[in-house]
């Protein structure tokens, strides 16, 4: 089962351009250096300047492993630290973790059990 991490945050209005550029750099770095998929979500409705990162991992153990690697990586820390300190509104980061639901077993598989 996949694990999906959904993080929302508000980008400071006066740092909008820099924030978006940094966010793109973070996504590119993570996609090139770590074993998970990252997407940036932009608002269509709701609060303006509220963006989201969605990261998809193969499972909970893989999420833990990739996070350990990322936070042990000085180059990644140089990207992520200033992004949140300089471009994101304080206390606006909100993280949720989801797990995908397994599909229902097919009838033949049910009968075998």
């Amino acid at each position: 089962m996949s694990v999906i991490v959904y993080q929302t945050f508000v980008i400071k209005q006066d740092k909008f351009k820099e924030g978006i550029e940094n966010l793109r750099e973070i996504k590119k770095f993570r996609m090139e250096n770590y074993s998970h998929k990252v997407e940036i979500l932009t608002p269509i409705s709701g609060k303006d300047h509220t963006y989201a990162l969605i990261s998809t991992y193969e499972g909970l153990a893989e999420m833990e492993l990739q996070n350990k690697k990322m936070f042990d990586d000085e180059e990644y820390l140089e990207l992520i630290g200033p992004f949140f300190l300089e471009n994101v509104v304080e206390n606006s980061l909100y993280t949720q973790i989801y797990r995908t639901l397994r599909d229902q077993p097919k009838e033949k598989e049910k009968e075998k059990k």
Side-chain angles (χ1 to χ4, degrees):
M1 291 181 275
S2 295
V3 169
I4 299 167
V5 179
Y6 176 70
Q7 295 181 298
T8 59
F9 47 87
V10 177
I11 295 179
K12 294 177 182 176
Q13 290 184 25
D14 63 331
K15 295 286 192 165
F16 184 74
K17 183 179 179 190
E18 297 92 337
I20 295 299
E21 288 172 5
N22 290 357
L23 197 52
R24 286 182 173 135
E25 288 177 34
I26 290 167
K27 175 186 174 180
K28 181 180 179 204
F29 187 84
R30 286 174 64 173
M31 295 284 286
E32 290 175 354
N33 294 285
Y34 302 103
S35 300
H36 61 279
K37 181 180 177 189
V38 179
E39 291 292 338
I40 301 169
L41 301 181
T42 62
I44 293 175
S45 64
K47 295 182 180 183
D48 292 338
H49 301 279
T50 300
Y51 284 74
L53 279 178
I54 293 200
S55 307
T56 305
Y57 302 87
E58 291 179 16
L60 196 54
E62 187 64 27
M63 181 194 79
E64 292 288 341
L65 177 63
Q66 294 306 315
N67 280 338
K68 181 179 180 345
K69 287 180 182 179
M70 285 188 295
F71 289 100
D72 286 343
D73 184 336
E74 290 297 322
E75 192 174 351
Y76 178 71
L77 293 177
E78 288 175 16
L79 284 173
I80 198 80
F83 171 73
F84 282 108
L85 291 174
E86 298 170 13
N87 302 312
V88 173
V89 173
E90 189 175 345
N91 293 322
S92 70
L93 181 64
Y94 182 72
T95 303
Q96 294 177 287
I97 300 175
Y98 294 92
R99 175 176 46 210
T100 57
L101 186 63
R102 269 186 0 176
D103 291 335
Q104 280 273 23
K106 295 180 182 177
E107 287 300 315
K108 290 181 182 177
E109 291 174 4
K110 284 183 184 177
E111 291 173 7
K112 290 180 183 178
K113 293 179 181 182

